[in-house]
């Protein structure tokens, strides 16, 4: 069980977060997601990018360098707006998910004690 279904929205928001800040492309995004602990393949990410583009959140252009070409994605104004709204929802959820937990720093102090 890889919980792909649960993480799908998180991955979409993560992609949109980067696409709002800078142009992104598939391979770099796969590496970025791996850095954050998501084992995602091109076969999973590309349909996500295409879906976000079809919904109007992203727009893409083909950029050529030398003999190779890659598709570069940027957030559309509608995508940036949707992301700002989603970000507030994430903050709200985050607050509830962690409301009963110790702040990270004090938990760390606890662990250091013998
Ligand atoms: Zn990131």
């Amino acid at each position: 069980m890889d919980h792909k279904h649960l993480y799908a929205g998180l991955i979409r928001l993560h992609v949109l977060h980067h696409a709002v800040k800078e142009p992104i492309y598939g391979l770099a995004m796969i590496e970025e997601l791996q850095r954050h602990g998501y084992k995602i393949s091109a076969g999973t990410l590309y349909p996500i990018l295409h879906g976000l583009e079809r919904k109007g959140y992203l727009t893409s252009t083909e950029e050529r360098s030398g003999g190779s070409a890659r598709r570069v994605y940027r957030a559309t104004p509608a995508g940036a707006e949707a992301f700002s709204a989603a970000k507030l929802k994430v903050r709200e959820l985050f607050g509830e998910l962690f409301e009963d937990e110790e702040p990270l720093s004090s938990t760390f102090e606890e662990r250091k004690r013998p």
Side-chain angles (χ1 to χ4, degrees):
M1 188 79 166
D2 60 9
H3 310 304
K4 206 179 273 180
H5 183 71
L6 282 178
Y7 297 148
L10 297 179
I11 289 169
R12 284 183 175 83
L13 289 176
H14 201 144
V15 166
L16 208 48
H17 165 66
H18 283 281
V20 166
K21 288 198 302 181
E22 71 242 336
I24 59 164
Y25 63 98
L27 267 181
M29 203 59 228
I30 287 170
E31 283 170 15
E32 166 64 12
L33 287 164
Q34 280 173 351
R35 205 166 63 81
H36 288 282
Y38 298 97
K39 285 191 192 110
I40 189 167
S41 64
T44 302
L45 182 69
Y46 284 104
I48 288 175
L49 289 173
H50 298 157
L52 288 171
E53 187 172 22
R54 207 167 43 240
K55 295 258 182 207
Y57 298 123
L58 298 178
T59 180
S60 73
T61 50
E62 186 137 292
E63 289 191 1
R64 311 199 142 266
S65 61
S68 62
R70 69 183 182 197
R71 190 148 284 276
V72 177
Y73 294 84
R74 291 173 176 80
T76 62
E81 201 175 300
F83 179 69
S84 299
K87 212 170 144 177
L88 295 178
K89 302 248 185 234
V90 170
R91 181 190 276 163
E92 174 67 27
L93 176 62
F94 187 90
E96 181 165 0
L97 294 182
F98 293 97
E99 68 188 350
D100 296 332
E101 300 205 4
E102 300 273 321
L104 277 177
S105 53
S106 70
T107 308
F108 181 66
E109 289 303 313
E110 292 288 326
R111 279 204 206 101
K112 273 203 308 195
R113 260 176 241 152

